[in-house]
Amino acid sequence: MNINDLLATDRIICQPNTSSKKKALEILSERLANHLGSRTPTEIFDALIARERLGSTGLGHGVAIPHSRMPGMDTTIAAILKLDQGVDYDSPDSQPVDFMFALLVPEEATEEHLQLLARLAELFSDHQFMQAIRSETDPQGLQLTLSRRITHRAA
Protein backbone atom coordinates (compact mmCIF):
# COMPACT_ATOMS: atom_id res chain seq x y z
CA MET A 1 0.00 0.00 0.00
CA ASN A 2 1.22 3.48 -0.89
CA ILE A 3 1.50 5.79 2.11
CA ASN A 4 0.17 8.65 -0.03
CA ASP A 5 -3.11 6.74 -0.42
CA LEU A 6 -3.66 6.72 3.35
CA LEU A 7 -3.62 10.45 3.85
CA ALA A 8 -5.80 13.33 2.71
CA THR A 9 -4.94 16.97 3.32
CA ASP A 10 -7.95 17.34 5.63
CA ARG A 11 -6.32 14.80 7.98
CA ILE A 12 -3.10 16.81 8.33
CA ILE A 13 -3.13 19.20 11.26
CA CYS A 14 -0.47 21.85 11.77
CA GLN A 15 -1.07 23.19 15.25
CA PRO A 16 1.18 25.50 17.22
CA ASN A 17 0.68 24.02 20.69
CA THR A 18 -0.96 21.09 22.38
CA SER A 19 -0.70 20.61 26.10
CA SER A 20 -0.22 16.84 26.35
CA LYS A 21 0.04 13.46 24.68
CA LYS A 22 -3.58 12.81 25.66
CA LYS A 23 -4.79 16.02 23.99
CA ALA A 24 -2.72 15.26 20.87
CA LEU A 25 -4.29 11.79 20.60
CA GLU A 26 -7.74 13.31 21.10
CA ILE A 27 -7.14 15.72 18.21
CA LEU A 28 -6.00 12.88 15.94
CA SER A 29 -8.95 10.70 17.01
CA GLU A 30 -11.41 13.47 16.19
CA ARG A 31 -9.93 13.99 12.72
CA LEU A 32 -9.88 10.25 11.95
CA ALA A 33 -13.47 9.85 13.17
CA ASN A 34 -14.59 12.69 10.89
CA HIS A 35 -13.34 10.61 7.96
CA LEU A 36 -14.57 7.20 9.07
CA GLY A 37 -18.09 8.01 10.17
CA SER A 38 -18.49 4.47 11.50
CA ARG A 39 -16.27 5.17 14.53
CA THR A 40 -16.58 7.78 17.24
CA PRO A 41 -13.63 9.86 18.37
CA THR A 42 -13.87 8.11 21.75
CA GLU A 43 -13.60 4.65 20.17
CA ILE A 44 -10.53 5.68 18.20
CA PHE A 45 -8.95 7.43 21.18
CA ASP A 46 -9.55 4.36 23.36
CA ALA A 47 -7.91 2.11 20.75
CA LEU A 48 -4.88 4.39 20.46
CA ILE A 49 -4.53 4.68 24.24
CA ALA A 50 -4.86 0.90 24.64
CA ARG A 51 -1.92 0.50 22.26
CA GLU A 52 0.09 3.14 24.14
CA ARG A 53 -0.42 1.17 27.36
CA LEU A 54 1.45 -1.72 25.75
CA GLY A 55 4.42 0.57 25.18
CA SER A 56 4.99 4.03 23.81
CA THR A 57 4.70 4.43 20.05
CA GLY A 58 7.27 7.21 20.23
CA LEU A 59 10.18 6.42 17.91
CA GLY A 60 12.54 9.06 19.20
CA HIS A 61 13.83 12.30 17.64
CA GLY A 62 10.42 13.93 18.14
CA VAL A 63 8.41 11.38 16.13
CA ALA A 64 5.58 9.05 17.18
CA ILE A 65 3.40 6.65 15.22
CA PRO A 66 0.30 6.02 17.33
CA HIS A 67 -1.54 3.13 15.74
CA SER A 68 -4.21 0.50 16.22
CA ARG A 69 -5.90 -2.33 14.39
CA MET A 70 -9.67 -1.89 14.54
CA PRO A 71 -12.45 -4.40 13.92
CA GLY A 72 -14.98 -3.64 11.22
CA MET A 73 -12.72 -1.38 9.17
CA ASP A 74 -12.16 -2.22 5.52
CA THR A 75 -9.44 0.29 4.72
CA THR A 76 -6.33 1.74 6.32
CA ILE A 77 -6.27 5.48 7.03
CA ALA A 78 -3.86 7.94 8.60
CA ALA A 79 -3.71 11.43 10.06
CA ILE A 80 -0.80 13.71 10.92
CA LEU A 81 -0.43 16.16 13.78
CA LYS A 82 2.58 18.51 13.55
CA LEU A 83 3.22 20.71 16.58
CA ASP A 84 5.47 23.74 17.02
CA GLN A 85 6.22 22.60 20.57
CA GLY A 86 6.64 18.93 21.44
CA VAL A 87 4.74 17.06 24.13
CA ASP A 88 6.04 14.51 26.62
CA TYR A 89 5.40 11.14 24.97
CA ASP A 90 7.45 8.60 26.94
CA SER A 91 9.68 8.13 23.89
CA PRO A 92 12.77 5.93 24.21
CA ASP A 93 15.07 8.97 23.95
CA SER A 94 12.93 11.01 26.42
CA GLN A 95 12.61 13.78 23.81
CA PRO A 96 9.27 15.57 23.34
CA VAL A 97 7.23 14.57 20.28
CA ASP A 98 6.26 17.24 17.75
CA PHE A 99 5.28 14.99 14.83
CA MET A 100 2.65 12.26 15.07
CA PHE A 101 1.55 10.00 12.23
CA ALA A 102 -1.58 8.16 13.44
CA LEU A 103 -2.52 4.95 11.67
CA LEU A 104 -5.71 2.88 11.82
CA VAL A 105 -5.63 -0.52 10.15
CA PRO A 106 -8.34 -3.18 9.70
CA GLU A 107 -8.08 -5.76 12.47
CA GLU A 108 -7.24 -8.64 10.12
CA ALA A 109 -4.49 -6.72 8.29
CA THR A 110 -1.67 -7.81 10.59
CA GLU A 111 1.04 -8.16 7.93
CA GLU A 112 0.08 -4.90 6.18
CA HIS A 113 0.13 -3.15 9.56
CA LEU A 114 3.65 -4.36 10.36
CA GLN A 115 4.96 -3.49 6.90
CA LEU A 116 3.51 0.02 7.10
CA LEU A 117 4.99 0.61 10.53
CA ALA A 118 8.41 -0.48 9.29
CA ARG A 119 8.20 1.78 6.22
CA LEU A 120 7.05 4.73 8.30
CA ALA A 121 9.78 4.20 10.91
CA GLU A 122 12.39 4.17 8.15
CA LEU A 123 10.94 7.26 6.47
CA PHE A 124 10.72 9.27 9.69
CA SER A 125 14.22 8.31 10.82
CA ASP A 126 15.74 10.41 8.01
CA HIS A 127 16.93 13.59 9.73
CA GLN A 128 16.98 15.77 6.57
CA PHE A 129 13.50 14.66 5.57
CA MET A 130 12.15 15.43 9.05
CA GLN A 131 13.77 18.88 8.90
CA ALA A 132 11.85 19.49 5.66
CA ILE A 133 8.61 18.23 7.24
CA ARG A 134 9.10 20.39 10.32
CA SER A 135 9.69 23.48 8.18
CA GLU A 136 6.26 23.15 6.58
CA THR A 137 3.59 25.41 8.08
CA ASP A 138 0.43 24.21 6.36
CA PRO A 139 -1.19 20.86 5.53
CA GLN A 140 -0.78 21.22 1.76
CA GLY A 141 2.95 21.88 2.01
CA LEU A 142 3.44 19.02 4.44
CA GLN A 143 1.53 16.61 2.19
CA LEU A 144 3.52 17.74 -0.85
CA THR A 145 6.84 17.25 0.97
CA LEU A 146 5.73 13.79 2.13
CA SER A 147 4.44 12.87 -1.32
CA ARG A 148 7.64 13.97 -3.07
CA ARG A 149 9.74 11.89 -0.72
CA ILE A 150 7.58 8.79 -1.12
CA THR A 151 7.45 9.17 -4.90
CA HIS A 152 11.21 9.78 -5.09
CA ARG A 153 11.96 6.65 -3.01
CA ALA A 154 9.62 4.54 -5.13
CA ALA A 155 11.35 5.59 -8.34
Side-chain angles (χ1 to χ4, degrees):
M1 169 163 288
N2 186 330
I3 295 168
N4 282 327
D5 296 338
L6 308 177
L7 196 59
T9 305
D10 65 341
R11 290 193 307 275
I12 299 174
I13 309 141
C14 296
Q15 185 162 322
N17 291 306
T18 295
S19 57
S20 66
K21 175 181 178 176
K22 179 181 181 278
K23 182 63 179 167
L25 291 172
E26 287 172 348
I27 292 167
L28 286 164
S29 298
E30 185 79 33
R31 194 59 59 101
L32 289 163
N34 287 345
H35 176 76
L36 285 174
S38 63
R39 295 279 187 258
T40 68
T42 301
E43 288 173 309
I44 294 169
F45 176 79
D46 289 346
L48 293 175
I49 285 293
R51 171 56 190 86
E52 290 297 324
R53 287 187 185 117
L54 297 174
S56 175
T57 59
L59 299 179
H61 305 287
V63 177
I65 307 176
H67 59 276
S68 181
R69 291 185 299 137
M70 297 197 69
M73 285 185 56
D74 59 357
T75 188
T76 299
I77 66 165
I80 289 175
L81 177 60
K82 186 183 89 62
L83 304 169
D84 287 346
Q85 299 293 317
V87 296
D88 181 24
Y89 206 88
D90 301 318
S91 294
D93 63 358
S94 300
Q95 296 298 310
V97 165
D98 64 351
F99 183 81
M100 299 169 69
F101 189 101
L103 188 64
L104 296 179
V105 179
E107 186 174 45
E108 63 281 352
T110 304
E111 186 61 31
E112 173 190 5
H113 186 191
L114 295 174
Q115 288 176 2
L116 273 171
L117 289 173
R119 286 172 52 204
L120 290 168
E122 179 185 358
L123 181 67
F124 299 141
S125 68
D126 181 318
H127 181 69
Q128 285 183 312
F129 172 67
M130 289 309 299
Q131 279 185 311
I133 286 288
R134 286 182 171 109
S135 72
E136 294 297 343
T137 58
D138 64 77
Q140 295 80 10
L142 199 153
Q143 186 171 33
L144 183 60
T145 298
L146 183 63
S147 178
R148 283 181 180 153
R149 173 59 187 256
I150 292 166
T151 303
H152 174 72
R153 288 189 54 103

